[in-house]
Amino acid sequence: MNIIDFVKNAGEKIFKPGEARRESAIEKHLAKYGISGIEVEVDGDKATLTGTAADTATREKAVLIAGNIDGIANVEDRIRVTNPTPAPVAAANPASTTTSTGSVQSSTTASGDGWQSRTYTVKSGDSLSKIAKEMYGDASKYPQIFEANKPMLSDPDKIYPGQVLRVPPER
């Protein structure tokens, strides 16, 4: 079990005013990105995801898709992976998450909870190349971040402050 924090008032606006079943809206949103087999429970601004994912990347994407919805501040990850990807060799850069205020905190990684990617919260003025420079030490590695966040990202230039992105291990 892992709880991941997000910016509550940033992200896609998928809830309709007065919508009673926010769970089904999130499940439909996940399905839009090709993710099925995940059940959602919403309590206030916290979404709990349970069920199974085919692989680690799908699990990570499901959590980030749910968290990058306007009105969701926390996602509790209870997803089981049926075909876990072996943990990569540790990268030279320390695992960290940069928050929207620019502070660094420990990230979700493969070490203790099955995650293999780091996460990064986009702040004003960021670009994928700037994030790649910070996370990998090389701005030209931005396509790795873009590919890791497909289909949530359709264009490398369309990111927004508060959005949480997957930063996969450096290749």
Side-chain angles (χ1 to χ4, degrees):
M1 178 176 67
N2 189 26
I3 296 178
I4 300 166
D5 295 323
F6 292 85
V7 177
K8 180 179 177 178
N9 297 319
E12 292 189 66
K13 294 175 182 5
I14 68 163
F15 301 130
K16 296 177 180 128
E19 185 168 28
R21 294 281 306 154
R22 293 172 48 183
E23 291 87 352
S24 59
I26 294 174
E27 288 170 359
K28 286 178 188 172
H29 192 63
L30 290 168
K32 178 176 109 174
Y33 292 109
I35 297 176
S36 60
I38 305 295
E39 291 109 42
V40 179
E41 192 173 309
V42 178
D43 183 15
D45 61 4
K46 177 183 169 188
T48 301
L49 305 183
T50 58
T52 58
D55 54 37
T56 305
T58 302
R59 173 190 183 198
E60 294 173 0
K61 284 182 181 182
V63 170
L64 295 179
I65 289 168
N68 284 317
I69 293 173
D70 187 33
I72 300 297
N74 310 97
V75 175
E76 185 173 346
D77 174 10
R78 294 185 180 179
I79 301 171
R80 292 180 323 277
V81 177
T82 57
N83 186 20
T85 312
V89 176
N93 291 339
S96 64
T97 300
T98 303
T99 66
S100 58
T101 59
S103 62
V104 177
Q105 62 190 29
S106 64
S107 72
T108 2
T109 62
S111 59
D113 56 19
W115 276 59
Q116 295 181 348
S117 299
R118 295 179 284 170
T119 58
Y120 181 91
T121 302
V122 177
K123 52 191 179 288
S124 183
D126 275 346
S127 65
L128 289 185
S129 59
K130 185 175 177 183
I131 296 167
K133 174 74 173 163
E134 182 175 333
M135 301 301 280
Y136 298 138
D138 183 353
S140 69
K141 292 190 175 188
Y142 80 88
Q144 288 181 36
I145 299 170
F146 178 64
E147 289 299 319
N149 288 281
K150 278 185 172 178
M152 292 130 2
L153 294 181
S154 59
D155 184 314
D157 295 323
K158 292 185 178 178
I159 61 174
Y160 56 86
Q163 183 177 29
V164 180
L165 301 173
R166 290 178 64 230
V167 179
E170 193 171 0
R171 296 183 272 188

